[in-house]
Amino acid sequence: MQPTVADILALPVVQAGQPELVSDGSLDVPVRWVHVSDLADLSDLLEGGELVLTTGRALTDTPTRDTYLHGLAAAGAVGLIIELGVHIDEVPRSVIEAGRSLAFPVIALHRQIRFVQLTEQVHRTIVADQYGELEFARSAHETFTDLSMRRATVDEIVTAAAHMLGSPVVLEDLNRQVVAFSGTEPATLLADWDRRSRLTPEVGAQRDADPDAWLARPVGAHPQTWGRLVVPQTHDADNRSVVIVERAAQAIALNRMTEQDRSSLELRAQGGLIDDLRHNRIRTEAEATARAFALGLRRSRAYIAMTIRLRDAGGADQVLVQQHRARILDSVTHTIKVTRHTALTTASEGGRRIDVLLAQRHTASATQRLEHMTNVCVSIRQTIMRVEGVMRCVIGVGPESTQITDAAIGFDESGHVADVALALPDDRPFHRSSDTRLRGLVALIRDDPRVQAFAETELRGLLEHRAKHGDELFALLRRYLDLGGNKAELAKSLKLSRPTLYARLDTLSRLLGVDINDAESRTSLHAALMIIDPS
């Protein structure tokens, strides 16, 4: 840190001159350099931030004396030290009055000192400080360059900046929505973020305007600026802090450029929040609401977890497949906004699953909320089904909740319901757990080895026949069970004569080793079919 006027006055070499402050002014101003001169006009020699040392020769001339301090102040000098006894024995009254009117510190030395010793000590300190700043800038540059080379995530870059600053750091987009943050409790850091971010001024270039201002730097090259990196607390915006924030902003911008074909930062941040909610990494509702509202989720009386499941054609080119599914996710977020709702969304399993935490619009009754929910789901499904290659789309819905943390627990249920609904034939706007019934139970326990062994035992003979001769009898059993064992209806739907149908059903009974006319046998076979082939 550069020495101040007060620091220089405290040096032994200056104290030896018996200094006297004859004109008050700020002594806490940093000194960039010490300049020795007896010239009357230094306006062309100073660049600002200098402490001027003189023996007072310029003050022996009355016309020059009266304008001397005004010239120093205009040139940016921060103070004047006058050594008495060489050209003048005391500081002229007009100089003292000018100093007081300008709040410009003037110090008189009553004993002579060696100016060369003073300049050497101060310049050594200043140069060492400048070298330290350069070393720090180099270290910060290497840190963020290394993060960029390792393809670090935006969260990792923001966390590194917060660690180096020792202060919280927030990355926001142009709409003041928080896309990444690090440091302190989120409930405190992000509370009422949109309003605070818009109203709190930034630390300016002079860094001396508003003590409550935030240190912030834009992210992205002008005019393509897309965000702002903020230190959202009253912070000493020294050079090192500015270097850290600027280098971090550059690293984030570079990350955005290299990741531009992937999900947007906003969706990544939403996905991170949903993942934290699903895995109970958020301890309080206050933290959940602070983070969710900072990401644009509207306050609501009812939140609901939704899972969208889709079946598409896929493809050999996985890059094209991922781009295709990213467009589907974008269409979902756009549709939600068009229907005047807000939500947090994230995609997983290669884009085949989309989780949505929806904030219901403020309505007076459950019936109205159901109507709005239906309209949203219909719009989402219509939008997705218009995308080329999508063959089927279903939406599973969890229970409503007044709290975000409780609603997020419903993702397990909504995901399960969506998995089951993908195998159901109906085409309703959305499914709840009450709609899945037996298929839901089967889907829940299908991976249990005991359940799988049951299905194999029930259908072993038919499965072996299927492997050798094809699906004809397998399809016949499925149709027979779907019709509840109604042979007349089965013969009519398959356009078979009854003797032919009865013969095939007898073959089925023989292969399965059970009487398929028995109601309990049909129930058992139906459950086994759901386990083996849920479609």
Side-chain angles (χ1 to χ4, degrees):
M1 182 178 294
Q2 292 178 335
T4 64
V5 176
D7 294 332
I8 293 175
L9 294 182
L11 292 174
V13 64
V14 178
Q15 289 296 310
Q18 297 180 359
E20 177 189 0
L21 183 65
V22 297
S23 171
D24 291 336
S26 176
L27 300 181
D28 295 327
V29 180
V31 175
R32 189 185 61 82
W33 205 248
V34 174
H35 187 81
V36 180
S37 178
D38 277 334
L39 294 177
D41 184 6
L42 297 176
S43 58
D44 293 333
L45 300 178
L46 303 182
E47 296 182 358
E50 293 90 355
L51 176 64
V52 177
L53 306 183
T54 182
T55 58
R57 181 177 180 181
L59 304 180
T60 59
D61 181 59
T62 302
T64 302
R65 173 194 310 160
D66 294 339
T67 60
Y68 183 69
L69 282 193
H70 290 84
L72 291 183
V78 296
L80 174 66
I81 295 181
I82 305 172
E83 186 180 72
L84 303 178
V86 179
H87 293 291
I88 58 175
D89 293 326
E90 63 180 8
V91 180
R93 188 66 191 174
S94 62
V95 173
I96 296 175
E97 292 176 353
R100 290 172 177 172
S101 66
L102 293 169
F104 189 87
V106 177
I107 299 95
L109 298 179
H110 294 279
R111 297 183 61 180
Q112 292 185 3
I113 67 171
R114 298 181 65 182
F115 279 1
V116 67
Q117 287 185 338
L118 174 58
T119 57
E120 182 180 337
Q121 288 186 37
V122 175
H123 290 168
R124 186 185 299 119
T125 301
I126 292 173
V127 171
D129 177 72
Q130 291 175 344
Y131 178 76
E133 293 298 319
L134 288 173
E135 276 294 296
F136 182 82
R138 182 188 62 80
S139 176
H141 175 74
E142 289 180 351
T143 297
F144 289 109
T145 298
D146 179 63
L147 288 169
S148 297
M149 294 298 291
R150 292 193 292 103
R151 298 178 71 95
T153 65
V154 170
D155 287 334
E156 290 174 326
I157 296 172
V158 172
T159 298
H163 178 73
M164 295 175 71
L165 287 167
S167 296
V169 176
V170 175
L171 173 64
E172 64 177 16
D173 63 17
L174 296 181
N175 292 323
R176 313 290 176 161
Q177 293 186 5
V178 177
V179 295
F181 69 92
S182 180
T184 196
E185 285 294 325
T188 302
L189 176 63
L190 303 180
D192 199 19
W193 177 263
D194 182 276
R195 185 187 63 83
R196 290 165 55 214
S197 177
R198 294 180 189 278
L199 295 180
T200 306
E202 288 186 19
V203 174
Q206 301 301 318
R207 303 175 198 167
D208 57 358
D210 189 339
D212 295 323
W214 288 351
L215 174 59
R217 287 296 181 269
V219 180
H222 182 78
Q224 280 81 38
T225 300
W226 54 264
R228 195 171 69 134
L229 193 62
V230 184
V231 183
Q233 291 183 355
T234 302
H235 189 275
D236 182 14
D238 55 19
N239 287 334
R240 296 192 174 192
S241 299
V242 173
V243 166
I244 292 170
V245 175
E246 289 180 347
R247 293 294 182 273
Q250 292 169 2
I252 292 169
L254 181 60
N255 174 280
R256 173 71 172 252
M257 291 171 62
T258 57
E259 302 287 334
Q260 59 185 351
D261 290 331
R262 302 186 183 186
S263 300
S264 70
L265 287 175
E266 180 183 350
L267 290 175
R268 284 184 172 223
Q270 292 183 11
L273 175 54
I274 289 176
D275 188 64
D276 288 345
L277 287 167
R278 291 185 62 186
H279 293 88
N280 298 318
R281 289 192 285 264
I282 293 182
R283 302 170 185 170
T284 64
E285 179 67 12
E287 178 181 346
T289 54
R291 290 181 60 181
F293 296 162
L295 281 169
L297 190 71
R298 187 169 52 222
R299 190 181 301 274
S300 175
R301 297 175 184 171
Y303 303 97
I304 192 164
M306 300 165 47
T307 298
I308 303 167
R309 273 287 193 185
L310 58 94
R311 184 183 294 134
D312 59 11
D317 190 334
Q318 289 303 306
V319 174
L320 291 178
V321 170
Q322 291 305 315
Q323 291 176 345
H324 169 77
R325 291 175 181 167
R327 286 195 296 270
I328 293 175
L329 180 59
D330 289 340
S331 68
V332 170
T333 58
H334 175 72
T335 301
I336 291 172
K337 291 178 181 177
V338 168
T339 57
R340 297 167 54 203
H341 287 77
T342 60
L344 305 177
T345 57
T346 184
S348 58
E349 300 180 20
R352 292 181 181 271
R353 170 174 173 156
I354 299 173
D355 287 320
V356 178
L357 183 64
L358 185 74
Q360 292 270 50
R361 280 162 49 187
H362 289 292
T363 53
S365 66
T367 302
Q368 289 177 312
R369 291 200 300 273
L370 177 60
E371 181 181 347
H372 291 318
M373 182 71 182
T374 301
N375 292 337
V376 171
C377 291
V378 168
S379 298
I380 289 174
R381 294 182 71 243
Q382 288 176 345
T383 300
I384 293 177
M385 292 304 295
R386 283 196 293 266
V387 177
E388 183 179 358
V390 176
M391 298 178 289
R392 181 154 168 73
C393 169
V394 297
I395 300 176
V397 172
E400 278 188 0
S401 178
T402 57
Q403 294 194 327
I404 291 175
T405 49
D406 291 340
I409 296 174
F411 278 120
D412 288 338
E413 181 176 322
S414 65
H416 164 67
V417 171
D419 289 341
V420 177
L422 201 59
L424 296 178
D426 60 70
D427 200 37
R428 65 186 68 190
F430 62 88
H431 294 77
R432 296 188 184 275
S433 58
S434 57
D435 302 322
T436 58
R437 307 185 70 183
L438 179 59
R439 286 186 184 273
L441 174 62
V442 170
L444 190 64
I445 63 176
R446 183 181 292 120
D447 294 334
D448 191 313
R450 293 169 296 180
V451 175
Q452 296 172 354
F454 160 76
E456 286 290 331
T457 301
E458 284 290 310
L459 300 172
R460 179 178 291 115
L462 180 59
L463 292 174
E464 292 175 355
H465 182 275
R466 182 190 191 187
K468 296 177 181 178
H469 305 287
D471 291 335
E472 183 179 1
L473 287 181
F474 195 87
L476 176 64
L477 176 62
R478 179 183 295 282
R479 186 61 178 156
Y480 175 69
L481 296 174
D482 286 344
L483 293 174
N486 189 325
K487 297 178 182 178
E489 189 64 31
L490 180 61
K492 182 178 178 181
S493 66
L494 297 178
K495 299 179 180 179
L496 294 175
S497 65
R498 290 197 178 189
T500 300
L501 175 61
Y502 293 162
R504 294 182 182 180
L505 292 176
D506 288 341
T507 302
L508 270 177
S509 292
R510 179 173 52 79
L511 290 172
L512 294 168
V514 296
D515 181 7
I516 61 175
N517 294 315
D518 178 66
E520 184 177 343
S521 294
R522 290 199 304 271
T523 301
S524 184
L525 290 170
H526 202 171
L529 275 178
M530 289 183 180
I531 296 166
I532 292 292
D533 187 3
S535 61

